[in-house]
Amino acid sequence: MTAPRCAGKALELYEQIGFVAGMAAALNNLAWYQTKLLRHTEAIAHCERALALEIEDREAHAAILDTLGFAYRCGGATGRAVDCHERSVNLYRDLGLHRSYAESLDRLAEVRLVLGELEPARAAWKQALVALEAVGNVDSAELRRRIHAKLTDAGLD
């Protein structure tokens, strides 16, 4: 079974038992996979449905906003992508989730770069690196390396 089908099945099961937080997570996962499959309209609809569930889990809310921003960016709606990523970044920062904060900043920087906003892109990547230094674990090393490479490739280091 493919990952999108598993997420769809999880959504179906969560709906049957009325587990709203599970439904939101499954919708978010499904949206992420759909974006990767270039089904941006479907991904956006799933994220919007997940947000409409009004779950009280702020980390899950941040994750959904981040996925929504990614779907908007991939679908060409860069202005909406910036808004979603900024909201996600703020939530992750407030929650002290450094790794997720850095990942969302990375996606925000990529959108800024697409928009030609070089200084805001550089600033977001630099903030991401600072956040990753706070984490300092091995899992963060790869993200740190990728962000350094993106800064260098964009001539922003």
Side-chain angles (χ1 to χ4, degrees), residues 71-84:
Y72 277 136
R73 183 189 76 182
C74 292
T78 50
R80 287 183 172 184
V82 167
D83 178 60
C84 290

Side-chain angles (χ1 to χ4, degrees), residues 1 4 14 16 20 22 25 29 38 42 45 55 58 63 67 80 83 98 107 130 149 153:
M1 186 178 281
Y14 288 135
Q16 287 175 7
V20 178
N29 290 335
L38 305 179
E42 292 172 51
I55 57 171
R58 292 174 62 210
T67 301
R80 287 183 172 184
D83 178 60
H98 300 290
R107 284 185 273 281
V130 169
D153 290 348

Side-chain angles (χ1 to χ4, degrees), residues 12-91:
E12 184 181 308
L13 293 171
Y14 288 135
E15 287 174 331
Q16 287 175 7
I17 63 171
F19 182 44
V20 178
M23 291 166 52
L27 284 163
N28 187 46
N29 290 335
L30 191 54
W32 184 262
Y33 299 133
Q34 287 175 331
T35 298
K36 294 291 191 173
L37 294 169
L38 305 179
R39 297 177 182 161
H40 312 302
T41 303
E42 292 172 51
I44 290 165
H46 284 303
C47 286
E48 289 174 347
R49 182 174 168 211
L51 290 172
L53 293 172
E54 297 184 10
I55 57 171
E56 295 194 23
D57 181 339
R58 292 174 62 210
E59 181 179 356
H61 191 82
I64 296 163
L65 286 169
D66 189 55
T67 301
L68 182 57
F70 183 65
Y72 277 136
R73 183 189 76 182
C74 292
T78 50
R80 287 183 172 184
V82 167
D83 178 60
C84 290
H85 285 304
E86 285 179 342
R87 291 167 55 204
S88 176
V89 161
N90 290 334
L91 280 169

